[in-house]
Amino acid sequence: MTPDTAVVIPAKNEADRIGATVRAALELPGVDLVVVVDDGSLDQTGRVARAAGARVVRHSRNRGKAAAMETGSEAVRLLDGDTPRHLLFLDADLGESARTAAALIEPVRAGKADMSIAVFATRVRLGGHGMVVRLSRDGIRRATGGFEATQPLNGQRCLTRAAFEAARPLAHGFGVETGLTIDLVRKGYRVAEVEVEMAHRATGNDWRAQLHRAKQLRDVALALAVREPAVRGALGKRPVR
């Protein structure tokens, strides 16, 4: 198969799983490039990813998921030839289950969708994560006039380069998935959900997990707020960071 897709993996402190994820991604049909964005890791994430075959770009400090996605997509653009590659975004902790991401590429490659979103057939324990999911799902439905997102926070997505550029600038941090869905549906791009047999690390209940969920809640709420006409009007032209 002619290579037509690049994988972008934002990663922070994922040295234990990034190698398996990169190796699985490199086995996907049509994938000839895997870019790992080491987002300020304090472990050996970058070294392990490079040893597994990825191109690695490093942020000297943690800048968040959306910034890592932007950095990775720019790295791909610089390596693209005459025809831009599709962009497949994967989480760093998927491990060997990243092999099933081929199903996400297929509808984009076939011209049937501009963005595909993974729906995990096997769900991990949410551990309080459900509140953020409901906020995102309800907000997407309101903002798009009815689009029902099954797993709105799922970060496993394949996009055409044109669709990705149409969604920039991306919503901040963990609000990126919510913003992507709203912005592309509103602009008339075709969004498809695809069931896949993927699995990532379960969410815990320790203080780190609680802090992570609090950041998710903040970022999703912000992504929704700036996309609500009344709120956007109140914010005026002030930049949201």
Side-chain angles (χ1 to χ4, degrees):
M1 180 179 292
T2 302
D4 64 355
T5 303
V7 177
V8 176
I9 306 177
K12 180 187 177 187
N13 297 333
E14 291 287 356
D16 58 336
R17 304 192 75 168
I18 189 64
T21 304
V22 168
R23 288 188 291 272
L26 284 168
E27 294 178 4
L28 294 169
V31 169
D32 66 339
L33 173 64
V34 174
V35 174
V36 170
V37 182
D38 182 354
D39 192 25
S41 295
L42 300 177
D43 63 4
Q44 297 298 310
T45 291
R47 182 184 64 79
V48 174
R50 189 175 291 109
R55 300 284 189 99
V56 177
V57 182
R58 176 171 170 78
H59 290 164
S60 59
R61 61 178 178 82
N62 179 246
R63 294 174 55 194
K65 187 172 186 180
M69 290 171 65
E70 295 259 18
T71 295
S73 70
E74 181 63 14
V76 172
R77 187 188 67 77
L78 293 173
L79 295 168
D80 274 341
D82 295 334
T83 303
R85 292 174 174 92
H86 304 314
L87 297 170
L88 174 63
F89 293 96
L90 296 178
D91 290 345
D93 62 352
L94 292 173
E96 293 185 359
S97 72
R99 288 191 177 95
T100 66
L104 289 172
I105 304 173
E106 289 168 4
V108 176
R109 178 177 288 144
K112 296 179 180 178
D114 302 299
M115 177 172 71
S116 61
I117 306 173
V119 175
F120 287 0
T122 302
R123 302 192 186 193
V124 298
R125 180 167 56 90
L126 293 176
H129 184 69
M131 179 173 65
V132 189
V133 171
R134 287 191 296 273
L135 175 67
S136 177
R137 181 181 293 128
D138 292 346
I140 290 170
R141 185 189 307 115
R142 279 197 315 274
T144 61
F147 184 86
E148 293 286 346
T150 305
Q151 293 179 8
L153 302 182
N154 203 311
Q156 323 328 304
R157 299 178 180 224
C158 186
L159 298 84
T160 64
R161 170 60 73 169
F164 183 80
E165 294 299 330
R168 296 180 70 183
L170 302 181
H172 174 77
F174 295 112
V176 62
E177 291 89 5
T178 301
L180 267 174
T181 302
I182 291 172
D183 293 344
L184 291 185
V185 171
R186 279 179 166 178
K187 292 180 179 181
Y189 286 87
R190 298 161 300 165
V191 177
E193 295 186 322
V194 180
E195 186 171 291
V196 294
E197 292 287 345
M198 285 183 183
H200 56 66
R201 186 181 296 110
T203 305
N205 280 306
D206 60 13
W207 68 269
R208 291 183 181 85
Q210 297 292 349
L211 179 60
H212 175 75
R213 282 190 287 272
K215 290 179 178 178
Q216 277 190 315
L217 184 65
R218 175 201 64 194
D219 291 350
V220 168
L222 181 59
L224 292 172
V226 298
R227 286 162 175 80
E228 292 282 350
V231 178
R232 188 170 63 247
L235 288 173
K237 296 183 178 180
R238 290 180 296 171
V240 177
R241 299 186 182 277

